[in-house]
Amino acid sequence: MSTKAPTDDPGDAKLGVGQPKHYGAGIPGVLRALSAANQQMGARRSLLTLTSVNQRDGFDCPGCAWPDPEHRHAAEFCENGAKAVAEEATLRRVTREFFATHPVAELAEKSDHWLGSQGRLAEPMVLREGATHYQPISWEEALGLIADQLIALDSPQEAIFYTSGRTSNEAAFAYQLFVRAFGTNNLPDCSNMCHESSGTALTQTIGIGKGTVTLTDIETAELVIIAGQNPGTNHPRMLSSLERVKVNGGRIIAVNPLVEAGLTAFRNPQTVRGVVGGGTAIADDYCQIRLNGDLAFFQALNKLLVEADRAAGGSVLDHEFIREHTEGYEALVRHLDGLAWADLLRACGLTLAELHHVVDQVRSAGSVVVCWAMGLTQHKNSVPTIREIVNFLLLRGNIGRPGAGPCPVRGHSNVQGDRTMGINERPPAWLLDALERHFGLPMPRPDGFDVVQAIGAMRDRRAKVFVALGGNFVRATPDSRATEAALRQLDLTVHISTKLNSSHAITGRRALILPTLGRTERDHTGGREQFVTVEDSMGMVHASRGRLRPATEHCRSEVDIVCSLAERVLGNGLDWASMGSDYAVIRRHIAATIPGFDDFEQRVAGTAGFALPNGPPGCAKLRHRDWQGPLHREHVDHPRGSPGRLLLQTVRSHDQFNTTIYGMDDVYRGITAGRRVLFINPGDRLDLGFTEGQSVDIISEWATPDGMQERLAPAFRLVDYQTARGCLAAYFPETNVLVPLDSVAEESNTPVSKSIVVRLQASTHTGPAPVR
């Protein structure tokens, strides 16, 4: 165990490249998890925390949102979950002495790995106007400073209130109520940058912005298609469910430009076969499509299904389901018939024989689930792509019945719950109506800013105050330099956080850091033991109770901070003090305003939780989009790859969760002690005249009405890898700088981080590689 944080930030000085792994987890994964836990927490604290993760009487993992099984193991966590717990439950502390030693300008040059490694924030800190260092501040003065700044604004629209997906249901509900009672819907959140495209497309097609499956549906499906997702790194506990798919006789098809270890095989460390055997093969077929080829892939499958149905006299599609539950079938068939095979094959990068093989498996499967993540949601045409997935499922009745349906796999532990609670810059009318009826207050009706719009408002001085309930905004967002410049335009930036990150060093004229309790910690706000709730990717709501003593006596819960601030700002008759001191009061308000939460307190207390109403309405719509056409049909442009240009996707390393960098290794892809690597197909590298290991600069290109824009990310080491021709991959947030602020998905406004047009040049960067 080491309570001493690292003092240096070496960047990629010792970067190494080895062979990628061909399986996920296994005993090495267990050892890495235990090593990370012991280093940050020590043996006794590790035992206490790790045996409480995802248990009925414990706390919800602060990592991903994969649901808990009905029958749980004593060790119900994965390698990255253990790292997330260790990061939060660390014994290291960031004290006032640390801030006195390190000026803000110095912190702004540090990597997020170094910043996060310093430990838990110990007390409220303020950066006063013109100061070079953060200084201690009392809670009373800090909350008063925020309240005075908000009250002094010319309009509530000049304030932006951001939310991270770690925020509990209770804190999220109180936060959105405070913000709307203040007078604005400026509630951007991390959903805007990940699954906004999923919510948009699913709402348009099946009437609900979430997936429709349960964990049992996935594990009993006869066929699971995993598109644009890397569960071995991003949702490791999903591998156990995929193993159960195989045990139950199901098949799995992976659709991904990169060959990923977790999609190849899984060595379950809790089974004999996983420890001493070869583990379980996951993907029966691996469709290595081109980046942004998913729309063409599912259009091709649908075209083949329609052709097969026609040849078989109508026995391939579920025509009874189509008649009773859909509309637009004939128009969809005409549209599919008009698609040219040459266009589809070029766009997806597969052969017709490979597509026929997939369709044969679809036809033989009695139930199909399609899972996806940000590999599908961060393209310009992501919303049409997901609508096409719904078409694919509807054609054979694979929605609304056991073992079938769409499954967008969420990345953060309560990002779905936050949206359910009303964290939404475009709130539905029913929510505002319910809040008005219950609280007797008018609710603002105009849409607020999403993340991209919020950055624009800050840049243009239409916003003056930024409050973040968790997260690392500056590293989660696109166009890094533009985002940093926008934040520096503000009068006040406020971060409610557990750990230090880059956003604390990119500030407005004044800045506050407010330390909050972590998911692992006991909450005795109001003199009583409190618990909070979360919602997982499958719409299950359950309680979370921390087990550790708070990091310091100065840490306050998110609920307490939000309610205390609201009481100072509003004074509008709502009993914020009761809500802040007894979270059951908030749960009663939730039960009265949010559908599916009837008898909330009784249903969640002392149980495994409950499922929210989750399924399509009686009639769904078959949506289609053309390559070009009249109104309601979009031209979907798959980049052809101009000479010397390739498509880049940003990805996580295995030592990373969202913007939190646990370490500098990516063991599954063979990378050690570094992050500035660029994965490239060897054929592309040879065609471009580069050598393996050469340092290159990445230059993105983006056409605008004012001409071509370019962004540069310097000094990336080329690594030969199994990726589709014409397709590159590199880690974020290092490559966020390459995504222009106005490069967004149609309809969802999500930044396009998975199909960035780039060119490469021999690096002109001198000196050590940048650390951020």
Side-chain angles (χ1 to χ4, degrees):
M1 176 182 64
S2 174
T3 59
K4 187 176 181 180
T7 58
D8 62 338
D9 197 2
D12 285 16
K14 298 181 179 179
L15 188 150
V17 179
Q19 290 299 311
K21 302 294 185 185
H22 300 292
Y23 64 89
I27 293 300
V30 175
L31 296 177
R32 289 191 296 270
L34 295 178
S35 174
N38 186 63
Q39 184 179 23
Q40 297 261 19
M41 299 185 291
R44 182 178 179 278
R45 192 174 175 89
S46 295
L47 179 65
L48 176 63
T49 54
L50 295 181
T51 55
S52 299
V53 183
N54 297 320
Q55 302 298 331
R56 286 184 172 88
D57 61 347
F59 59 88
D60 193 69
C61 178
C64 81
W66 190 252
D68 301 319
E70 182 178 354
H71 303 290
R72 307 183 195 193
H73 295 282
E76 195 59 59
F77 59 88
C78 65
E79 176 188 346
N80 280 356
K83 292 174 182 176
V85 170
E87 282 271 317
E88 182 178 290
T90 180
L91 293 171
R92 300 169 184 170
R93 299 292 180 263
V94 179
T95 64
R96 60 178 65 187
E97 289 77 18
F98 171 89
F99 286 108
T101 302
H102 300 283
V104 174
E106 177 191 324
L107 296 177
E109 295 302 317
K110 296 293 189 180
S111 70
D112 276 282
H113 175 233
W114 187 89
L115 293 170
S117 297
Q118 303 308 306
R120 288 288 298 276
L121 295 162
E123 61 182 314
M125 304 297 296
V126 62
L127 180 69
R128 302 190 187 276
E129 186 165 4
T132 58
H133 292 69
Y134 276 102
Q135 299 171 332
I137 186 174
S138 71
W139 272 105
E140 288 301 309
E141 185 183 355
L143 293 171
L145 190 158
I146 303 168
D148 290 345
Q149 189 74 50
L150 290 174
I151 293 169
L153 293 174
D154 293 332
S155 164
Q157 307 307 320
E158 294 180 334
I160 294 168
F161 300 87
Y162 177 73
T163 313
S164 159
R166 189 187 69 87
T167 304
S168 69
N169 287 331
E170 289 76 7
F173 185 86
Y175 194 51
Q176 64 83 30
L177 179 62
F178 159 52
V179 172
R180 293 193 165 104
F182 180 62
T184 182
N185 285 311
N186 286 346
L187 282 160
D189 75 316
C190 55
S191 288
N192 298 151
M193 295 175 286
C194 57
H195 272 288
E196 197 69 55
S197 297
S198 299
T200 301
L202 292 172
T203 299
Q204 292 172 348
T205 52
I206 62 174
I208 182 170
K210 308 177 184 181
T212 65
V213 303
T214 65
L215 194 59
T216 300
D217 288 327
I218 291 176
E219 294 175 355
T220 58
E222 294 186 22
L223 176 64
V224 176
I225 298 176
I226 305 171
Q229 184 192 0
N230 177 19
T233 287
N234 301 340
H235 312 91
R237 287 201 301 149
M238 184 179 177
L239 295 180
S240 296
S241 292
L242 296 180
E243 184 178 49
R244 293 186 191 103
V245 172
K246 304 304 291 289
V247 169
N248 291 332
R251 295 181 64 81
I252 296 173
I253 297 174
V255 183
N256 200 312
L258 286 171
V259 173
E260 301 284 18
L263 290 170
T264 303
F266 173 45
R267 293 185 181 177
N268 189 338
Q270 304 200 53
T271 66
V272 174
R273 177 180 176 82
V275 174
V276 300
T280 301
I282 296 297
D284 296 285
D285 288 286
Y286 210 113
C287 298
Q288 205 171 352
I289 66 168
R290 294 185 70 242
L291 280 171
N292 200 23
D294 307 276
L295 174 58
F297 174 78
F298 282 101
Q299 284 181 324
L301 298 188
N302 290 340
K303 183 177 176 70
L304 287 174
L305 286 170
V306 167
E307 291 175 355
D309 184 72
R310 190 179 291 134
S315 61
V316 173
L317 304 183
D318 189 339
H319 287 278
E320 181 179 357
F321 178 88
I322 291 170
R323 284 192 302 271
E324 294 182 359
H325 299 290
T326 72
E327 59 185 44
Y329 170 71
E330 290 79 9
L332 176 65
V333 170
R334 290 193 297 272
H335 166 65
L336 293 171
D337 285 341
L339 295 177
W341 276 114
D343 291 334
L344 294 175
L345 297 179
R346 176 192 59 78
C348 73
L350 301 178
T351 66
L352 188 57
E354 289 174 308
L355 293 168
H356 271 290
H357 180 62
V358 172
V359 166
D360 288 344
Q361 295 179 75
V362 173
R363 292 180 60 181
S364 64
S367 58
V368 179
V369 169
V370 180
C371 301
W372 70 89
M374 287 188 288
L376 258 66
T377 65
Q378 293 181 329
H379 301 280
K380 184 178 181 182
N381 58 356
S382 287
V383 174
T385 296
I386 296 165
R387 284 196 289 249
E388 197 66 37
I389 290 174
V390 176
N391 287 349
F392 168 75
L393 293 167
L394 290 173
L395 284 174
R396 285 178 53 83
N398 279 309
I399 289 185
R401 60 187 178 87
C407 180
V409 182
R410 308 287 175 167
H412 215 315
S413 58
N414 198 41
V415 63
Q416 185 161 297
D418 289 348
R419 183 56 60 93
T420 301
M421 291 297 105
I423 300 295
N424 189 345
E425 77 284 353
R426 295 180 293 175
W430 67 259
L431 173 63
L432 301 179
D433 292 342
L435 294 173
E436 287 184 348
R437 283 194 303 268
H438 182 67
F439 292 104
L441 293 174
M443 293 291 142
R445 297 287 165 162
D447 288 349
F449 298 138
D450 64 19
V451 164
V452 170
Q453 293 164 340
I455 297 170
M458 290 187 277
R459 175 196 61 201
D460 300 337
R461 287 287 293 165
R462 289 179 288 124
K464 297 178 181 178
V465 175
F466 176 81
V467 180
L469 189 58
N472 183 1
F473 185 81
V474 76
R475 292 291 169 255
T477 47
D479 213 338
S480 304
R481 295 188 182 95
T483 300
E484 292 179 12
L487 285 164
R488 289 189 167 111
Q489 294 277 352
L490 297 170
D491 294 336
L492 176 66
T493 51
V494 180
H495 292 276
I496 301 168
S497 308
T498 57
K499 303 284 294 294
L500 193 64
N501 63 53
S502 288
S503 294
H504 303 141
I506 309 298
T507 74
R509 279 181 280 279
R510 293 185 294 174
L512 285 164
I513 303 173
L514 305 180
T516 188
L517 293 176
R519 192 77 62 77
T520 59
E521 292 168 322
R522 294 193 298 268
D523 184 350
H524 285 282
T525 301
R528 70 190 77 198
E529 184 178 355
Q530 308 279 1
F531 69 88
V532 295
T533 60
V534 296
E535 177 187 346
D536 64 33
S537 273
M538 310 297 173
M540 289 292 298
V541 177
H542 57 272
S544 178
R545 297 174 175 85
R547 286 292 176 258
L548 299 177
R549 180 183 300 171
T552 75
E553 69 274 18
H554 299 294
C555 291
R556 295 173 64 170
S557 75
E558 291 179 325
V559 172
D560 184 19
I561 296 169
V562 169
C563 291
S564 297
L565 179 60
E567 191 171 25
R568 283 165 173 79
V569 173
L570 299 175
N572 57 8
L574 294 184
D575 195 354
W576 293 105
S578 293
M579 285 188 270
S581 62
D582 184 359
Y583 304 171
V585 175
I586 298 177
R587 286 188 284 273
R588 289 197 290 273
H589 290 317
I590 292 171
T593 53
I594 306 296
F597 285 86
D598 303 319
D599 300 318
F600 189 6
E601 190 75 13
Q602 293 73 25
R603 293 166 70 194
V604 78
T607 71
F610 60 92
L612 292 174
N614 197 358
C619 180
K621 295 183 178 181
L622 281 171
R623 300 282 186 176
H624 64 271
R625 288 296 181 266
D626 203 346
W627 301 95
Q628 56 186 356
L631 192 63
H632 304 306
R633 293 186 182 185
E634 303 173 46
H635 175 75
V636 182
D637 181 25
H638 298 276
R640 291 179 177 272
S642 303
R645 272 62 178 175
L646 302 98
L647 289 180
L648 169 71
Q649 65 169 328
T650 67
V651 297
R652 295 186 199 170
S653 80
H654 191 63
D655 251 357
Q656 174 179 357
F657 179 72
N658 293 343
T659 58
T660 301
I661 312 300
Y662 301 133
M664 302 298 284
D665 297 341
D666 190 357
V667 293
Y668 288 170
R669 299 188 183 109
I671 304 300
T672 57
R675 292 181 52 83
R676 297 187 79 85
V677 296
L678 181 62
F679 299 105
I680 187 170
N681 184 289
D684 289 327
R685 176 180 56 75
L686 291 171
D687 288 347
L688 294 171
F690 295 116
T691 59
E692 186 174 10
Q694 185 172 350
S695 180
V696 298
D697 298 334
I698 310 173
I699 303 169
S700 66
E701 300 178 342
W702 173 248
T704 73
D706 298 324
M708 189 68 70
Q709 289 187 19
E710 293 187 350
R711 305 284 194 280
L712 183 142
F716 281 75
R717 180 172 169 179
L718 288 174
V719 175
D720 285 355
Y721 203 79
Q722 286 183 279
T723 182
R725 287 298 299 263
C727 301
L728 305 166
Y731 303 130
F732 72 85
E734 289 83 354
T735 48
N736 287 1
V737 66
L738 297 172
V739 184
L741 195 59
D742 58 351
S743 177
V744 294
E746 297 167 352
E747 300 182 66
S748 68
N749 216 38
T750 297
V752 175
S753 300
K754 293 293 188 285
S755 48
I756 309 164
V757 178
V758 301
R759 70 179 191 271
L760 308 180
Q761 67 181 21
S763 182
T764 57
H765 183 83
T766 59
V771 296
R772 63 177 182 88

